[in-house]
């Protein structure tokens, strides 16, 4: 009678002498491991505590330099740039850990003839000659300037790449200064994170490494450069599903000290993590040492103790080898065939095993599985190729459609009489909404907000036709009603599919604020008045564009007072539907505009679109487009 695979495995492993030897070695290993771990904990705890204290001292010294300079500027107003340059040189001369320093003034605070003034002095390559520049980018939007301004106190930033000034990865401590209680600017000192990285690499961790995480868990220093400011301890924990790593991260950002045993996120091998806080910047310094490094001495001792057992184990090994050969020969054939499948060879088959045990059934199942796999892969390859071709063509069409919309932001930056912005969110890859604006004459701006019936590719094509026709007939001397009448006649003549466009078209006179407009079945715009109210513009209710060839359109006029805003939109906004099936409606949309009407037009468009997307349960309900124009305030 043939032995089953189960009986063969029992015969191969149930050797009592091997169990005795392994028990002795396991007890010895356990005792040695406890001693090694205790020694490692004491060593790394002391090491990380010392390094954290050194970094904390350096960061605190740098922070004090910024606070002292800010206090000086609060009490003393420089009459020129020379005192500021001297102050910055003094900061770098007395603080070797500081890479660079800047005094950044609030727009108009240093001199009334210039908006921004921020001289920056930093060390050259390898800490060489000092180099001075003036920050040209809009620093008022950066965290190192904005946070101390809003919080009213000095603060550290998370590391960032300073493109345009220091051009390195750095973190900044910025302290605000004031004049008669009014915010004047900040004094910032920059710490080169690469210098911290070099210091940590020099620490002897017995085969491990040291690093830093920020107060949010983001890696400030790590042997893997891709992790620095690109990953956090929490993103790695989530990606690799390591709840223990997530728990350690929470202890680290809470400023605790500890020693934990974890699995390495890349190799899965056990490691030990020791961490201590860097309190001045609310960071945490950690050291990681592989478990095999901790156990190296224990393993060497076990090797020596095991040498005298080799003689007895030789007989056991011989028995195991003979038994495993007998059991594993057919399994090895299956493994070799599986390796061929892994390399892409789906023609491989395992020759008939001939047995009637579990391995025999496995061989039969394997051969059938490989055949089915080959057939399924061929079907999937054909389907994937067809889908990728379609997606590629739709993406190209989307890019072409997007290029038809005005792209420059802000548009017409040379015109100070008004500000203008627009945003769109297509329901599908191709959209039926479109907006447009261009100058018909030097002081007459054409405005268009339109919505094509339907969605997807047909709507996008009809949209392109409508845009072209409007642009072609929008010439000096033609009123909005005349342009809309002619455009409707042209589009209706070639509209075999009976599609239509709802369209608002107007001429905005930038000098006077007068808006002359015509409406082809589109929702009336809103006007944010000077008194803070939001009015619905009384627009003429003309027929849909592209349906009735001989339709004519009327027009009306209104005037935007200085500071007033015109808001155009498509019906995808009012018809947004939440998870309960409730429409946003005109009241809901008006409330959004009313809440945001004092904001700049680019923020109005962006935030209204975000609120609409947050309200509706599905982003594919309908296209949504928003356009806002504000007449410049008087004076």
């Amino acid at each position: 009678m043939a032995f089953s695979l189960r009986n063969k495995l029992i015969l191969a492993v149930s050797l009592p002498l091997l169990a005795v030897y392994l028990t002795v070695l396991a007890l010895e290993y356990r005792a040695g491991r406890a001693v090694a771990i205790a020694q490692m904990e004491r060593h790394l705890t002391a090491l990380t505590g010392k390094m954290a204290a050194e970094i904390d001292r350096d960061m605190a010294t740098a922070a004090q330099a910024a606070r002292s300079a800010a206090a000086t500027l609060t009490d003393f107003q420089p009459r020129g740039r020379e005192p500021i340059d001297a102050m910055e040189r003094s900061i770098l001369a007395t603080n070797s850990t500081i890479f660079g320093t800047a005094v950044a003034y609030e727009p108009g605070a240093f001199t009334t003839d210039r908006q921004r003034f921020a001289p920056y002095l930093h060390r050259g390559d390898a800490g060489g000659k000092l180099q001075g520049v003036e920050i040209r980018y809009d620093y008022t939007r950066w965290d190192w300037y904005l946070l101390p301004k809003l919080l009213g106190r000095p603060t550290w930033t998370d590391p960032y790449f300073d493109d345009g000034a220091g051009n390195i990865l750095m973190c900044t401590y910025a302290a605000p200064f004031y004049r008669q209680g009014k915010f004047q600017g900040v004094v910032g000192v920059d710490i080169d994170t690469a210098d911290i990285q070099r210091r940590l690499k020099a620490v002897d961790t017995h085969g491990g490494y040291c690093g830093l995480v920020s107060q949010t868990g983001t890696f400030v220093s790590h042997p893997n450069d891709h992790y620095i400011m690109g990953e956090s301890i929490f993103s790695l924990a989530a990606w690799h599903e390591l709840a223990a790593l997530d728990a350690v991260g929470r202890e680290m950002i809470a400023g605790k000290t500890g020693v934990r045993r974890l699995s390495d996120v890349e190799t899965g091998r056990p490691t030990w993590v020791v961490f201590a806080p860097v309190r001045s910047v609310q960071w945490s310094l950690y050291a990681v040492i592989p478990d095999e490094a901790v156990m190296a001495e224990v393993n060497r001792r076990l090797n020596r103790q095991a040498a005298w057992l080799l003689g007895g184990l030789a007989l056991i090994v011989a028995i195991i080898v003979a038994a495993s050969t007998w059991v594993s020969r057919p399994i090895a054939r299956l493994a070799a065939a599986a390796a061929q499948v892994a390399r892409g060879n789906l023609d491989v088959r395992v020759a008939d095993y001939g047995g009637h045990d579990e391995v025999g059934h496995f061989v039969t199942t394997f051969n059938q599985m490989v055949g089915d796999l080959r057939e399924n892969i061929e079907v999937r390859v054909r389907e994937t190729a067809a889908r990728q071709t379609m997606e590629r063509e739709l993406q190209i069409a989307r890019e072409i459609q997007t290029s038809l919309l005005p792209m420059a932001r802000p548009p017409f930056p040379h015109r100070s009489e008004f500000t203008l912005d627009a945003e769109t969110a297509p329901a599908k890859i191709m959209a039926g909404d479109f907006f447009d604006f261009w100058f018909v004459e030097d002081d007459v701006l054409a405005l268009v907000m339109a919505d094509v019936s339907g969605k997807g590719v047909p709507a996008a094509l009809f949209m392109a036709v409508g845009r072209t026709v409007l642009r072609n007939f929008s010439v000096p001397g033609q009123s909005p009603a005349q342009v809309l009448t002619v455009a409707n006649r042209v589009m209706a003549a070639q509209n075999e599919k009976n599609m239509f466009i709802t369209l608002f078209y107007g001429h905005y006179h930038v000098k006077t604020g007068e808006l002359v407009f015509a409406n082809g079945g589109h929702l009336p715009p809103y006007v944010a008045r000077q008194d803070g109210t939001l009015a619905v513009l009384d627009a003429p209710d003309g027929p849909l564009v592209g349906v009735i060839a001989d339709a004519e359109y009327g027009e009306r006029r209104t005037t935007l007072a200085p500071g007033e805003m015109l808001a155009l939109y498509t019906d995808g906004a009012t018809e947004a539907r939440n998870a309960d099936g409730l429409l946003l409606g005109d009241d809901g949309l008006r409330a959004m505009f009313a809440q945001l009407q004092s904001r700049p037009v680019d923020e109005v468009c962006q935030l209204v679109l975000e609120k609409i997307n947050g309200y509706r349960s599905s982003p594919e309900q309908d296209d949504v487009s928003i356009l806002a124009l504000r007449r410049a305030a008087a004076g």
Side-chain angles (χ1 to χ4, degrees):
M1 183 180 68
F3 283 96
S4 68
L5 179 61
R6 176 175 176 272
N7 292 331
K8 295 174 185 178
L9 291 174
I10 292 175
L11 179 63
V13 297
S14 61
L15 302 175
L17 186 57
L18 178 60
V20 171
Y21 284 162
L22 292 178
T23 300
V24 172
L25 292 177
L27 292 175
E28 181 64 24
Y29 178 82
R30 183 176 180 180
R33 178 181 177 83
V35 174
I37 290 174
Q39 293 175 345
M40 177 276 300
E41 288 184 357
R42 288 193 297 271
H43 171 71
L44 287 185
T45 299
L47 180 66
T48 54
K50 177 182 177 183
M51 285 299 302
E54 291 178 357
I55 295 175
D56 192 23
R57 179 196 61 212
D58 292 342
M59 303 296 267
T61 301
Q64 181 59 48
R67 291 194 298 270
S68 298
T72 300
L73 291 175
T74 298
D75 298 332
F76 166 70
Q77 181 177 4
R79 298 299 182 184
R81 179 167 178 168
E82 291 78 7
I84 296 176
D85 290 342
M87 176 184 293
E88 291 180 340
R89 290 184 178 277
S90 175
I91 290 174
L92 294 183
T94 56
N95 296 270
S96 61
T97 58
I98 297 177
F99 170 78
T101 180
V103 178
Y105 279 86
E106 183 75 355
F110 185 72
T111 57
T112 58
D113 59 344
R114 63 188 302 170
Q115 278 297 301
R116 294 191 297 270
F117 177 67
Y120 181 64
L121 187 68
H122 64 92
R123 304 183 191 278
D125 295 338
K129 183 179 179 181
L130 299 182
Q131 299 178 6
V133 297
E134 187 170 325
I135 299 176
R136 297 297 182 186
Y137 59 76
D138 186 3
Y139 54 80
T140 60
R141 296 175 179 268
W142 287 53
D143 285 353
W144 63 264
Y145 185 91
L146 194 58
L147 288 177
K149 176 182 177 180
L150 296 177
L151 298 176
R153 57 177 173 80
T155 183
W156 281 100
T157 70
D158 279 345
Y160 62 97
F161 189 83
D162 187 23
D163 188 4
N167 296 312
I168 62 168
L169 186 65
M170 62 173 63
C171 61
T172 299
Y173 183 85
F177 60 91
Y178 301 84
R179 183 72 31 73
Q180 297 179 351
K182 182 178 180 182
F183 176 78
Q184 297 292 299
V186 303
V187 177
V189 294
D190 300 329
I191 303 298
D192 185 357
T193 60
D195 181 60
I196 299 176
Q197 182 89 338
R198 287 189 292 269
R199 292 171 61 184
L200 294 179
K201 285 182 178 179
V203 178
D204 181 14
T205 54
H206 301 288
Y209 61 88
C210 289
L212 284 169
V213 296
S214 72
Q215 58 185 326
T216 61
T218 303
F219 287 106
V220 178
S221 174
H222 194 280
N224 189 336
D225 293 338
H226 296 293
Y227 285 178
I228 299 176
M229 300 314 297
E231 295 284 356
S232 73
I233 194 169
F234 301 111
S235 66
L236 292 183
W239 180 258
H240 297 279
E241 299 181 352
L242 297 175
L245 181 60
D246 183 89
V248 168
R250 296 182 185 280
E251 290 187 80
M252 294 171 71
I253 65 174
K256 296 182 179 180
T257 300
V259 181
R260 301 291 182 270
R261 188 172 186 263
L262 301 172
S263 296
D264 186 84
V265 296
E266 294 182 350
T267 65
R269 296 178 178 177
T271 58
W272 291 89
V273 178
V274 184
F275 50 92
V278 182
R279 301 192 185 282
S280 62
V281 286
Q282 297 182 337
W283 292 355
S284 183
L285 183 143
Y286 64 91
V288 178
I289 180 170
D291 189 73
E292 58 260 29
V294 176
M295 300 304 299
E297 180 58 33
V298 176
N299 291 334
R300 285 192 290 269
R301 185 167 61 251
L302 284 178
N303 289 337
R304 291 193 298 268
Q305 294 176 351
W308 64 272
L309 298 175
L310 289 178
L313 289 176
L315 178 59
I316 298 174
V317 170
I319 296 173
I320 292 176
V321 168
S324 63
T325 300
W326 177 38
V327 174
S328 65
R329 183 177 292 112
I331 297 177
R333 291 164 58 188
L334 275 170
Q340 291 291 324
V341 172
R343 289 193 288 270
N345 181 9
L346 298 181
D347 295 322
V348 67
R349 295 293 185 273
V350 179
D352 186 17
Y353 173 61
H356 299 286
D357 56 14
E358 291 88 342
V359 176
H361 295 307
F362 191 11
V363 168
T364 302
T365 303
F366 177 84
N367 289 336
Q368 181 179 354
M369 178 190 67
V370 173
D372 294 344
L373 178 62
R374 177 175 180 173
E375 181 178 349
N376 291 337
I377 288 177
E378 290 175 351
V379 172
R380 183 62 60 87
V381 168
R382 290 193 296 270
E383 292 176 350
T384 301
R387 184 176 64 254
Q388 289 176 344
T389 299
M390 178 64 72
E391 290 175 352
R392 185 162 52 250
E393 292 175 353
L394 286 175
Q395 184 60 40
I396 293 173
R398 172 60 180 162
E399 292 172 0
I400 293 173
Q401 183 191 27
T402 302
S403 68
L404 296 177
L405 300 178
M407 300 298 293
R409 291 294 183 275
F412 317 119
H414 59 287
R415 303 303 296 253
S416 61
E417 302 96 329
F418 66 93
T419 55
L420 173 66
D421 197 73
E423 295 285 347
T424 186
K428 297 184 177 181
I429 292 180
M430 305 293 291
D433 283 4
F434 74 96
F435 58 83
D436 206 354
F437 38 81
W438 68 94
F439 275 97
V440 178
E441 300 179 47
D442 288 344
D443 293 326
V444 178
L445 177 68
L447 298 172
V448 176
M449 177 60 73
D451 184 0
V452 180
S453 59
K455 304 182 186 72
V457 175
L461 293 175
F462 203 60
M463 162 240 163
V465 173
R467 175 187 178 276
T468 303
V469 170
L470 280 175
R471 285 235 176 191
N472 287 343
F473 291 106
S474 296
V475 296
Q478 294 290 312
S479 69
Q482 291 172 327
V483 172
L484 207 56
T485 299
V486 175
N488 171 72
R489 185 167 59 249
V490 172
M491 295 183 68
Q494 52 185 323
N495 186 9
E496 297 180 359
K497 298 298 183 182
N498 295 321
M499 300 185 72
F500 62 86
I501 301 177
T502 69
L503 190 147
F504 179 93
Y505 176 76
H507 286 172
Y508 176 69
H509 297 261
V510 299
K511 295 296 186 183
T512 64
E514 183 182 32
L515 177 68
V516 184
F517 55 93
N519 189 32
H522 199 77
L523 295 173
Y526 302 137
V527 177
R529 297 299 186 186
Q530 285 181 320
D531 59 4
T533 61
L534 188 72
V536 178
L537 190 62
D538 185 16
D541 189 15
L544 301 172
V545 177
V547 179
I548 305 173
D550 57 353
E552 295 186 357
Y553 297 85
E555 64 185 26
R556 293 183 184 168
R557 301 170 181 267
T558 190
T559 299
L560 298 182
E564 292 187 342
M565 180 184 73
L566 173 71
L568 306 174
Y569 58 94
T570 58
D571 62 2
T574 56
E575 294 176 1
R577 192 181 301 272
N578 65 12
D580 297 327
L582 299 178
L583 292 175
L584 177 63
D586 181 68
D587 291 341
L589 184 62
R590 290 182 64 183
M592 290 181 182
F593 276 112
Q595 182 183 11
L596 301 169
Q597 61 177 299
S598 61
R599 300 284 191 95
V601 292
D602 58 337
E603 294 185 16
V604 171
C605 293
Q606 181 180 354
L607 293 175
V608 168
L609 199 59
E610 289 179 359
K611 287 177 176 290
I612 292 172
N613 287 334
Y615 178 84
R616 58 187 184 179
S617 59
S618 170
E620 297 186 358
Q621 293 181 20
D622 197 2
D623 305 326
V624 178
S625 295
I626 305 292
L627 184 148
L629 178 144
R630 188 188 302 279
R631 185 180 179 185

